[in-house]
Amino acid sequence: MSDSPGGQITVYQDFNMQGNSLVIVDACSDLRPSGMNDQISSFVVTSGVWTFYQDINYQTPVGKTYGPGTYPNVGQVGLPNDQISSLKCVNQIMVYQDLNMQGTSLLITDACSDLRPTGLNDQISSFVVISGTWTFYQDINYQTPIGTTYGPGSYPNVGQAGLPNDQISSLKSV
């Protein structure tokens, strides 16, 4: 059931982690073959950050993103009951304008090709990788790579992480 890198989740047909279940690693673009299409009422995220979709092939996102934890009732966390057809693990990073995770912040899922509209272009001084591995670029549209790749963890000072301060214009998970 794997389409992309990420984590592990167990979905259940009934509330409170009851009924038929399915363990998914990384992603599932179509729950129909598993018999769990439009059947999910609860879930447990073992690892990663997950996004749910009402239609197959990651169409029509619903809810928000869900990290590790137990979710005994999808309706209580903003998901429609028995209306999920695909799901995948996503990569997330929180970037900050100032050192030590201070100042204006922005949560980015999977990629940002141009930080100019966010107000944080050439303004990033610290970051937290929530999930995935990330690469930074000095220019928009992923031009001029800088630093190395960065995995989960806190980076309170981009300079100490090998990145130039206030010179990041795009970033993406790899």
Side-chain angles (χ1 to χ4, degrees), residues 119-141:
L120 286 174
N121 185 54
D122 293 339
Q123 298 290 315
I124 295 173
S125 295
S126 59
F127 60 95
V128 175
V129 175
I130 299 165
S131 57
T133 303
W134 291 78
T135 301
F136 296 86
Y137 300 85
Q138 193 164 0
D139 300 312
I140 64 168
N141 298 319

Side-chain angles (χ1 to χ4, degrees), residues 3-102:
D3 296 307
S4 66
Q8 181 175 313
I9 187 172
T10 304
V11 295
Y12 296 87
Q13 189 172 20
D14 299 325
F15 295 118
N16 298 311
M17 284 63 67
Q18 299 293 310
N20 292 331
S21 66
L22 175 68
V23 175
I24 299 169
V25 175
D26 301 335
C28 181
S29 63
D30 186 353
L31 284 166
R32 293 178 298 187
S34 72
M36 293 293 285
N37 187 55
D38 293 340
Q39 298 291 313
I40 297 173
S41 296
S42 59
F43 60 96
V44 175
V45 175
T46 305
S47 60
V49 177
W50 291 79
T51 301
F52 294 79
Y53 300 85
Q54 198 162 354
D55 299 313
I56 64 169
N57 298 318
Y58 316 118
Q59 300 297 308
T60 318
V62 291
K64 53 181 183 138
T65 57
Y66 302 88
T70 300
Y71 302 86
N73 182 331
V74 296
Q76 292 178 343
V77 293
L79 288 169
N81 186 45
D82 293 342
Q83 295 182 42
I84 305 299
S85 295
S86 58
L87 61 157
K88 67 179 175 178
C89 196
V90 295
N91 295 314
Q92 290 188 316
I93 187 171
M94 181 75 77
V95 296
Y96 297 87
Q97 185 174 21
D98 299 327
L99 297 173
N100 299 312
M101 284 65 80
Q102 298 293 312

Side-chain angles (χ1 to χ4, degrees), residues 139-157:
D139 300 312
I140 64 168
N141 298 319
Y142 316 117
Q143 300 297 308
T144 317
I146 50 179
T148 181
T149 57
Y150 300 87
S154 295
Y155 301 84
N157 183 325

